[in-house]
Amino acid sequence: MIVKKKMLATLLVSAAALVAVTGCGAKNENSSGSGNSADSKSYSIAISQYVEHPSLDATREGFLAALKDAGITEGDNLKVDLENAQADASNNLSIAQKIASKDYDLVLGIATPSALAVVQEEKENPVLFAAVTDPLAAKIVSNLEKPGGNVSGASDTNPAAITQLMDFVAKHFTNVKTVGMVINEGEPNAVIMADLAEKALSAHGIKLEKAPAAATSEVKQAAESLVGRADALYIALDNTVVSSVDSIIKVANDNKIPFFSSDRDTVEKGAFATVGFKYFDHGYQVGQMAVDILKNGKKIGDMKVTVPDKLDLIMNLKAAEAQGITVTDDMKNEVKDQANNIIQ
């Protein structure tokens, strides 16, 4: 009996030491934890981004921030393979094929061309998309509420934003009879937004005049071609055009033409106004979806596609001055969050 008690005591001491080393043993490697606590599991993610520009970069940064806040940190328990197509279709396809040939825990496609290419190539691992204007029209998913398969994500366009912006133009810029739009008609997202803008403008008797730019090198010339033909300028979430938006800002400033955009980042750079949101927040929203998939075991095909719901008018007062715009109190009163969305 004494020997058995000694043996039992020895076993209890050993067990206590093991618990101290392993950290109580009750938490399995897939436990989600909370806050910034590190996840004990390691993850690998591939990101395919169509081109570098502020909105897409902010989307990626927001995505990774959401993972980090959930304990999935790059360089610690997360390996990220980032690929950038530099707005080249052949690069985009080869990147998607490369990603599909490997085994990642999750893949993110940023912008419509990259998301579409990844979805067409990757048929097994979860694929999220972000900065996609119309995932239905682009045939990335066939159902927004329950996409099914291995794909879901977030659209960066709420059609109401375009209508609200065009209503703002018509209300406060009564001299505008024609809005000029630099557009790469090879980007489905840009075409969809142009159609929405044209419809919204026509309700006010305003014409939309398009100037094509199939490559970034053509953006400046396209913008210049609208001088004298358009009373205001507008661009969509057009990756080709946004990548060279500085040239449009210069044309607008030099010729005192009001310039409206479709994203906050372009307004911060020098466009006058948009109705929109922060792309960092958009990316963060997609990152939260990734956390649910990676840590909480949610099925991606059951996760609905989301759209921005916190829309507000955003305006840049310095851009207004550069473009010869007199900003009235009525204009400012349309901005809900004036502390953050009136850029001084």
Side-chain angles (χ1 to χ4, degrees):
M1 181 66 70
I2 294 175
V3 173
K4 287 183 179 181
K5 285 182 179 180
K6 287 183 178 180
M7 290 177 63
L8 179 59
T10 300
L11 288 171
L12 289 172
V13 170
S14 299
L18 181 60
V19 168
V21 171
T22 59
C24 86
K27 180 180 176 182
N28 65 47
E29 67 176 9
N30 293 318
S31 176
S32 61
S34 61
N36 289 316
S37 59
D39 191 334
S40 60
K41 182 179 178 180
S42 294
Y43 301 91
S44 64
I45 289 176
I47 299 177
S48 177
Q49 182 172 323
Y50 188 59
V51 70
E52 290 180 353
H53 69 60
S55 296
L56 301 188
D57 293 344
T59 298
R60 184 185 71 249
E61 291 163 4
F63 175 82
L64 293 175
L67 293 178
K68 184 176 181 180
D69 286 348
I72 303 175
T73 305
E74 187 176 5
D76 183 4
N77 58 348
L78 173 64
K79 182 178 185 296
V80 178
D81 288 341
L82 173 62
E83 301 281 354
N84 193 304
Q86 301 297 339
D88 184 285
S90 60
N91 287 346
N92 200 44
L93 177 59
S94 62
I95 287 170
Q97 291 171 338
K98 176 183 175 182
I99 288 173
S101 70
K102 298 183 180 181
D103 188 21
Y104 293 99
D105 294 301
L106 186 140
V107 179
L108 172 67
I110 302 178
T112 301
S114 290
L116 181 59
V118 170
V119 166
Q120 290 174 338
E121 296 295 329
E122 176 58 79
K123 300 298 183 182
E124 296 181 7
N125 296 315
V127 176
L128 285 170
F129 59 82
V132 170
T133 299
D134 191 336
L136 288 177
K139 298 183 179 179
I140 292 174
V141 295
S142 58
N143 187 301
L144 298 179
E145 289 298 317
K146 194 171 182 178
N150 67 322
V151 181
S152 189
S155 169
D156 61 354
T157 299
N158 185 330
I162 298 174
T163 301
Q164 289 176 25
L165 181 60
M166 299 309 152
D167 289 347
F168 176 83
V169 172
K171 178 180 177 181
H172 297 285
F173 294 81
T174 54
N175 64 315
V176 171
K177 305 302 178 186
T178 301
V179 172
M181 181 179 188
V182 180
I183 180 173
N184 176 7
E185 295 184 302
E187 290 200 29
N189 46 307
V191 174
I192 291 164
M193 294 185 73
D195 290 344
L196 290 169
E198 188 167 30
K199 182 179 178 181
L201 287 170
S202 66
H204 298 285
I206 300 174
K207 179 184 177 183
L208 183 70
E209 182 76 23
K210 300 174 188 174
T216 54
S217 59
E218 300 174 10
V219 170
K220 182 176 182 290
Q221 184 177 356
E224 291 173 338
S225 76
L226 291 168
V227 176
R229 296 193 294 145
D231 306 304
L233 300 176
Y234 166 70
I235 62 170
L237 299 174
D238 183 325
N239 298 296
T240 301
V241 175
V242 174
S243 296
S244 295
V245 76
D246 287 343
S247 60
I248 303 178
I249 293 170
K250 187 176 188 308
V251 170
N253 293 351
D254 289 347
N255 295 278
K256 303 303 180 186
I257 303 174
F259 174 31
F260 300 89
S261 71
S262 296
D263 66 292
R264 181 191 180 93
D265 297 296
T266 300
V267 172
E268 291 180 350
K269 291 190 75 173
F272 167 55
T274 190
V275 172
F277 55 93
K278 290 185 177 180
Y279 268 83
F280 182 92
D281 295 340
H282 171 67
Y284 196 95
Q285 183 180 33
V286 182
Q288 289 177 315
M289 296 176 74
V291 171
D292 273 340
I293 294 164
L294 296 172
K295 298 186 72 170
N296 302 328
K298 283 196 176 181
K299 293 183 179 179
I300 189 169
D302 294 337
M303 303 174 76
K304 73 175 183 178
V305 175
T306 62
V307 297
D309 55 2
K310 296 179 180 179
L311 299 176
D312 195 7
L313 179 68
I314 305 162
M315 65 172 63
N316 184 328
L317 300 186
K318 287 185 179 179
E321 183 179 358
Q323 293 160 25
I325 301 168
T326 300
V327 178
T328 65
D329 288 339
D330 284 345
M331 290 182 185
K332 291 180 179 179
N333 289 339
E334 294 204 25
V335 182
K336 300 170 189 173
D337 182 0
Q338 295 191 9
N340 291 310
N341 291 337
I342 294 181
I343 302 166
Q344 305 289 339

